PDB file of all heavy atoms in Angstrom:
ATOM      1  N   THR V 130      11.358  -5.919 -16.124  1.00 86.00           N
ATOM      2  CA  THR V 130      10.338  -4.971 -16.048  1.00 86.00           C
ATOM      3  C   THR V 130      10.245  -4.046 -14.739  1.00 86.00           C
ATOM      4  O   THR V 130      10.818  -4.447 -13.718  1.00 86.00           O
ATOM      5  CB  THR V 130       8.845  -5.553 -16.248  1.00 86.00           C
ATOM      6  OG1 THR V 130       8.554  -6.407 -15.109  1.00 86.00           O
ATOM      7  CG2 THR V 130       8.773  -6.284 -17.535  1.00 86.00           C
ATOM      8  N   ALA V 131       9.736  -2.946 -14.840  1.00 88.00           N
ATOM      9  CA  ALA V 131       9.799  -2.071 -13.651  1.00 88.00           C
ATOM     10  C   ALA V 131       9.051  -2.673 -12.488  1.00 88.00           C
ATOM     11  O   ALA V 131       9.477  -2.544 -11.308  1.00 88.00           O
ATOM     12  CB  ALA V 131       9.063  -0.704 -14.067  1.00 88.00           C
ATOM     13  N   GLU V 132       7.937  -3.387 -12.666  1.00 89.00           N
ATOM     14  CA  GLU V 132       7.216  -4.074 -11.627  1.00 89.00           C
ATOM     15  C   GLU V 132       8.145  -5.165 -10.943  1.00 89.00           C
ATOM     16  O   GLU V 132       8.091  -5.252  -9.665  1.00 89.00           O
ATOM     17  CB  GLU V 132       6.021  -4.677 -12.090  1.00 89.00           C
ATOM     18  CG  GLU V 132       5.126  -5.375 -11.096  1.00 89.00           C
ATOM     19  CD  GLU V 132       3.781  -5.737 -11.500  1.00 89.00           C
ATOM     20  OE1 GLU V 132       3.472  -5.641 -12.787  1.00 89.00           O
ATOM     21  OE2 GLU V 132       2.855  -6.266 -10.704  1.00 89.00           O
ATOM     22  N   ARG V 133       8.829  -5.903 -11.701  1.00 87.00           N
ATOM     23  CA  ARG V 133       9.694  -6.997 -11.169  1.00 87.00           C
ATOM     24  C   ARG V 133      10.874  -6.405 -10.494  1.00 87.00           C
ATOM     25  O   ARG V 133      11.356  -7.016  -9.455  1.00 87.00           O
ATOM     26  CB  ARG V 133      10.137  -7.854 -12.328  1.00 87.00           C
ATOM     27  CG  ARG V 133      10.943  -9.080 -11.929  1.00 87.00           C
ATOM     28  CD  ARG V 133      10.107 -10.104 -11.224  1.00 87.00           C
ATOM     29  NE  ARG V 133      11.009 -11.239 -10.840  1.00 87.00           N
ATOM     30  CZ  ARG V 133      10.523 -12.373 -10.278  1.00 87.00           C
ATOM     31  NH1 ARG V 133       9.230 -12.492  -9.999  1.00 87.00           N
ATOM     32  NH2 ARG V 133      11.261 -13.342 -10.041  1.00 87.00           N
ATOM     33  N   THR V 134      11.470  -5.300 -10.886  1.00 86.00           N
ATOM     34  CA  THR V 134      12.742  -4.762 -10.336  1.00 86.00           C
ATOM     35  C   THR V 134      12.506  -3.556  -9.376  1.00 86.00           C
ATOM     36  O   THR V 134      13.387  -2.806  -9.138  1.00 86.00           O
ATOM     37  CB  THR V 134      13.642  -4.322 -11.461  1.00 86.00           C
ATOM     38  OG1 THR V 134      13.026  -3.268 -12.260  1.00 86.00           O
ATOM     39  CG2 THR V 134      14.004  -5.505 -12.400  1.00 86.00           C
ATOM     40  N   SER V 135      11.205  -3.508  -8.919  1.00 87.00           N
ATOM     41  CA  SER V 135      10.928  -2.332  -7.993  1.00 87.00           C
ATOM     42  C   SER V 135      11.519  -2.427  -6.745  1.00 87.00           C
ATOM     43  O   SER V 135      11.696  -1.416  -5.946  1.00 87.00           O
ATOM     44  CB  SER V 135       9.430  -2.344  -7.767  1.00 87.00           C
ATOM     45  OG  SER V 135       8.973  -3.469  -6.989  1.00 87.00           O
ATOM     46  N   GLY V 136      12.128  -3.579  -6.213  1.00 87.00           N
ATOM     47  CA  GLY V 136      12.656  -3.694  -4.950  1.00 87.00           C
ATOM     48  C   GLY V 136      11.641  -4.080  -3.874  1.00 87.00           C
ATOM     49  O   GLY V 136      11.968  -4.403  -2.770  1.00 87.00           O
ATOM     50  N   ARG V 137      10.375  -4.136  -4.251  1.00 91.00           N
ATOM     51  CA  ARG V 137       9.384  -4.441  -3.255  1.00 91.00           C
ATOM     52  C   ARG V 137       8.817  -5.864  -3.410  1.00 91.00           C
ATOM     53  O   ARG V 137       8.145  -6.386  -2.531  1.00 91.00           O
ATOM     54  CB  ARG V 137       8.140  -3.556  -3.485  1.00 91.00           C
ATOM     55  CG  ARG V 137       8.452  -2.057  -3.282  1.00 91.00           C
ATOM     56  CD  ARG V 137       7.080  -1.187  -3.326  1.00 91.00           C
ATOM     57  NE  ARG V 137       6.447  -1.373  -4.506  1.00 91.00           N
ATOM     58  CZ  ARG V 137       6.618  -0.625  -5.639  1.00 91.00           C
ATOM     59  NH1 ARG V 137       7.503   0.315  -5.577  1.00 91.00           N
ATOM     60  NH2 ARG V 137       5.922  -0.804  -6.719  1.00 91.00           N
ATOM     61  N   VAL V 138       9.250  -6.566  -4.495  1.00 93.00           N
ATOM     62  CA  VAL V 138       8.636  -7.887  -4.750  1.00 93.00           C
ATOM     63  C   VAL V 138       9.309  -8.960  -3.842  1.00 93.00           C
ATOM     64  O   VAL V 138      10.471  -8.888  -3.605  1.00 93.00           O
ATOM     65  CB  VAL V 138       8.802  -8.288  -6.217  1.00 93.00           C
ATOM     66  CG1 VAL V 138       8.263  -9.634  -6.464  1.00 93.00           C
ATOM     67  CG2 VAL V 138       8.144  -7.220  -7.142  1.00 93.00           C
ATOM     68  N   ARG V 139       8.480  -9.895  -3.300  1.00 94.00           N
ATOM     69  CA  ARG V 139       8.946 -10.938  -2.493  1.00 94.00           C
ATOM     70  C   ARG V 139       8.502 -12.332  -3.057  1.00 94.00           C
ATOM     71  O   ARG V 139       7.575 -12.407  -3.848  1.00 94.00           O
ATOM     72  CB  ARG V 139       8.371 -10.794  -1.110  1.00 94.00           C
ATOM     73  CG  ARG V 139       8.591  -9.428  -0.451  1.00 94.00           C
ATOM     74  CD  ARG V 139       7.914  -9.300   0.842  1.00 94.00           C
ATOM     75  NE  ARG V 139       8.032  -7.867   1.379  1.00 94.00           N
ATOM     76  CZ  ARG V 139       7.198  -6.951   1.239  1.00 94.00           C
ATOM     77  NH1 ARG V 139       6.146  -7.150   0.374  1.00 94.00           N
ATOM     78  NH2 ARG V 139       7.362  -5.719   1.771  1.00 94.00           N
ATOM     79  N   GLY V 140       9.255 -13.289  -2.613  1.00 94.00           N
ATOM     80  CA  GLY V 140       8.885 -14.627  -2.922  1.00 94.00           C
ATOM     81  C   GLY V 140       7.601 -15.048  -2.123  1.00 94.00           C
ATOM     82  O   GLY V 140       7.382 -14.507  -1.033  1.00 94.00           O
ATOM     83  N   SER V 141       6.952 -16.063  -2.559  1.00 94.00           N
ATOM     84  CA  SER V 141       5.623 -16.307  -1.942  1.00 94.00           C
ATOM     85  C   SER V 141       5.049 -17.760  -2.204  1.00 94.00           C
ATOM     86  O   SER V 141       5.392 -18.285  -3.404  1.00 94.00           O
ATOM     87  CB  SER V 141       4.488 -15.329  -2.164  1.00 94.00           C
ATOM     88  OG  SER V 141       4.122 -15.450  -3.527  1.00 94.00           O
ATOM     89  N   THR V 142       4.281 -18.241  -1.375  1.00 95.00           N
ATOM     90  CA  THR V 142       3.362 -19.443  -1.755  1.00 95.00           C
ATOM     91  C   THR V 142       2.163 -18.821  -2.342  1.00 95.00           C
ATOM     92  O   THR V 142       1.912 -17.653  -2.375  1.00 95.00           O
ATOM     93  CB  THR V 142       3.004 -20.225  -0.579  1.00 95.00           C
ATOM     94  OG1 THR V 142       2.122 -19.338   0.342  1.00 95.00           O
ATOM     95  CG2 THR V 142       4.156 -20.557   0.387  1.00 95.00           C
ATOM     96  N   ALA V 143       1.347 -19.665  -2.907  1.00 94.00           N
ATOM     97  CA  ALA V 143      -0.086 -19.275  -3.286  1.00 94.00           C
ATOM     98  C   ALA V 143      -0.859 -19.068  -2.054  1.00 94.00           C
ATOM     99  O   ALA V 143      -0.523 -19.675  -1.018  1.00 94.00           O
ATOM    100  CB  ALA V 143      -0.748 -20.336  -4.143  1.00 94.00           C
ATOM    101  N   PRO V 144      -1.794 -18.137  -2.134  1.00 96.00           N
ATOM    102  CA  PRO V 144      -2.634 -17.846  -0.911  1.00 96.00           C
ATOM    103  C   PRO V 144      -3.673 -18.969  -0.739  1.00 96.00           C
ATOM    104  O   PRO V 144      -4.180 -19.615  -1.774  1.00 96.00           O
ATOM    105  CB  PRO V 144      -3.296 -16.524  -1.119  1.00 96.00           C
ATOM    106  CG  PRO V 144      -3.284 -16.396  -2.704  1.00 96.00           C
ATOM    107  CD  PRO V 144      -2.135 -17.174  -3.136  1.00 96.00           C
ATOM    108  N   LEU V 145      -4.235 -19.237   0.423  1.00 97.00           N
ATOM    109  CA  LEU V 145      -5.175 -20.186   0.671  1.00 97.00           C
ATOM    110  C   LEU V 145      -6.338 -19.548   1.437  1.00 97.00           C
ATOM    111  O   LEU V 145      -6.234 -18.983   2.402  1.00 97.00           O
ATOM    112  CB  LEU V 145      -4.605 -21.354   1.512  1.00 97.00           C
ATOM    113  CG  LEU V 145      -5.660 -22.507   1.856  1.00 97.00           C
ATOM    114  CD1 LEU V 145      -6.026 -23.248   0.641  1.00 97.00           C
ATOM    115  CD2 LEU V 145      -5.060 -23.426   2.912  1.00 97.00           C
ATOM    116  N   TRP V 146      -7.628 -19.774   0.823  1.00 97.00           N
ATOM    117  CA  TRP V 146      -8.730 -19.201   1.516  1.00 97.00           C
ATOM    118  C   TRP V 146      -9.290 -20.174   2.523  1.00 97.00           C
ATOM    119  O   TRP V 146      -9.552 -21.358   2.227  1.00 97.00           O
ATOM    120  CB  TRP V 146      -9.844 -18.993   0.424  1.00 97.00           C
ATOM    121  CG  TRP V 146     -11.118 -18.477   1.005  1.00 97.00           C
ATOM    122  CD1 TRP V 146     -12.267 -19.342   1.269  1.00 97.00           C
ATOM    123  CD2 TRP V 146     -11.540 -17.169   1.360  1.00 97.00           C
ATOM    124  NE1 TRP V 146     -13.282 -18.535   1.799  1.00 97.00           N
ATOM    125  CE2 TRP V 146     -12.759 -17.220   1.908  1.00 97.00           C
ATOM    126  CE3 TRP V 146     -10.821 -15.964   1.392  1.00 97.00           C
ATOM    127  CZ2 TRP V 146     -13.530 -16.115   2.392  1.00 97.00           C
ATOM    128  CZ3 TRP V 146     -11.516 -14.891   1.873  1.00 97.00           C
ATOM    129  CH2 TRP V 146     -12.790 -14.958   2.342  1.00 97.00           C
ATOM    130  N   VAL V 147      -9.384 -19.694   3.803  1.00 97.00           N
ATOM    131  CA  VAL V 147      -9.868 -20.681   4.801  1.00 97.00           C
ATOM    132  C   VAL V 147     -11.023 -20.220   5.598  1.00 97.00           C
ATOM    133  O   VAL V 147     -11.499 -20.975   6.438  1.00 97.00           O
ATOM    134  CB  VAL V 147      -8.602 -20.801   6.000  1.00 97.00           C
ATOM    135  CG1 VAL V 147      -7.409 -21.483   5.368  1.00 97.00           C
ATOM    136  CG2 VAL V 147      -8.305 -19.423   6.536  1.00 97.00           C
ATOM    137  N   GLY V 148     -11.621 -19.089   5.241  1.00 96.00           N
ATOM    138  CA  GLY V 148     -12.812 -18.635   5.781  1.00 96.00           C
ATOM    139  C   GLY V 148     -12.406 -17.849   7.152  1.00 96.00           C
ATOM    140  O   GLY V 148     -11.325 -17.866   7.618  1.00 96.00           O
ATOM    141  N   ASP V 149     -13.471 -17.313   7.769  1.00 97.00           N
ATOM    142  CA  ASP V 149     -13.327 -16.479   8.972  1.00 97.00           C
ATOM    143  C   ASP V 149     -12.654 -17.298  10.093  1.00 97.00           C
ATOM    144  O   ASP V 149     -13.258 -18.241  10.635  1.00 97.00           O
ATOM    145  CB  ASP V 149     -14.622 -15.969   9.377  1.00 97.00           C
ATOM    146  CG  ASP V 149     -14.483 -14.778  10.401  1.00 97.00           C
ATOM    147  OD1 ASP V 149     -13.404 -14.296  10.450  1.00 97.00           O
ATOM    148  OD2 ASP V 149     -15.568 -14.453  10.969  1.00 97.00           O
ATOM    149  N   SER V 150     -11.381 -16.953  10.453  1.00 98.00           N
ATOM    150  CA  SER V 150     -10.549 -17.706  11.428  1.00 98.00           C
ATOM    151  C   SER V 150      -9.904 -16.729  12.401  1.00 98.00           C
ATOM    152  O   SER V 150      -9.746 -15.599  12.151  1.00 98.00           O
ATOM    153  CB  SER V 150      -9.582 -18.512  10.690  1.00 98.00           C
ATOM    154  OG  SER V 150     -10.121 -19.403   9.689  1.00 98.00           O
ATOM    155  N   ASP V 151      -9.545 -17.342  13.548  1.00 98.00           N
ATOM    156  CA  ASP V 151      -8.909 -16.449  14.619  1.00 98.00           C
ATOM    157  C   ASP V 151      -7.725 -17.157  15.282  1.00 98.00           C
ATOM    158  O   ASP V 151      -7.296 -16.698  16.304  1.00 98.00           O
ATOM    159  CB  ASP V 151      -9.909 -15.830  15.641  1.00 98.00           C
ATOM    160  CG  ASP V 151     -10.651 -16.943  16.362  1.00 98.00           C
ATOM    161  OD1 ASP V 151     -10.323 -18.142  16.210  1.00 98.00           O
ATOM    162  OD2 ASP V 151     -11.584 -16.572  17.159  1.00 98.00           O
ATOM    163  N   GLY V 152      -7.385 -18.301  14.704  1.00 98.00           N
ATOM    164  CA  GLY V 152      -6.205 -19.047  15.253  1.00 98.00           C
ATOM    165  C   GLY V 152      -5.451 -19.676  14.208  1.00 98.00           C
ATOM    166  O   GLY V 152      -6.067 -20.121  13.105  1.00 98.00           O
ATOM    167  N   VAL V 153      -4.184 -19.873  14.338  1.00 98.00           N
ATOM    168  CA  VAL V 153      -3.372 -20.517  13.197  1.00 98.00           C
ATOM    169  C   VAL V 153      -2.137 -21.211  13.844  1.00 98.00           C
ATOM    170  O   VAL V 153      -1.652 -20.878  14.929  1.00 98.00           O
ATOM    171  CB  VAL V 153      -2.885 -19.358  12.237  1.00 98.00           C
ATOM    172  CG1 VAL V 153      -1.866 -18.499  12.925  1.00 98.00           C
ATOM    173  CG2 VAL V 153      -2.380 -19.915  10.961  1.00 98.00           C
ATOM    174  N   GLU V 154      -1.698 -22.208  13.080  1.00 98.00           N
ATOM    175  CA  GLU V 154      -0.439 -22.885  13.314  1.00 98.00           C
ATOM    176  C   GLU V 154       0.164 -23.138  11.952  1.00 98.00           C
ATOM    177  O   GLU V 154      -0.529 -23.509  10.974  1.00 98.00           O
ATOM    178  CB  GLU V 154      -0.651 -24.210  14.016  1.00 98.00           C
ATOM    179  CG  GLU V 154       0.605 -24.958  14.341  1.00 98.00           C
ATOM    180  CD  GLU V 154       0.351 -26.297  15.173  1.00 98.00           C
ATOM    181  OE1 GLU V 154      -0.784 -26.665  15.359  1.00 98.00           O
ATOM    182  OE2 GLU V 154       1.298 -26.935  15.537  1.00 98.00           O
ATOM    183  N   VAL V 155       1.433 -23.011  11.787  1.00 98.00           N
ATOM    184  CA  VAL V 155       2.132 -23.186  10.500  1.00 98.00           C
ATOM    185  C   VAL V 155       3.469 -23.951  10.698  1.00 98.00           C
ATOM    186  O   VAL V 155       4.174 -23.753  11.726  1.00 98.00           O
ATOM    187  CB  VAL V 155       2.361 -21.942   9.757  1.00 98.00           C
ATOM    188  CG1 VAL V 155       3.220 -21.012  10.575  1.00 98.00           C
ATOM    189  CG2 VAL V 155       2.924 -22.084   8.353  1.00 98.00           C
TER     190      VAL V 155
END
Side-chain angles (χ1 to χ4, degrees):
T130 60
E132 182 171 6
R133 181 72 176 184
T134 60
S135 66
R137 300 189 301 271
V138 180
R139 304 175 186 91
S141 69
T142 67
L145 178 69
W146 176 260
V147 294
D149 197 12
S150 305
D151 59 8
V153 70
E154 182 178 9
V155 61

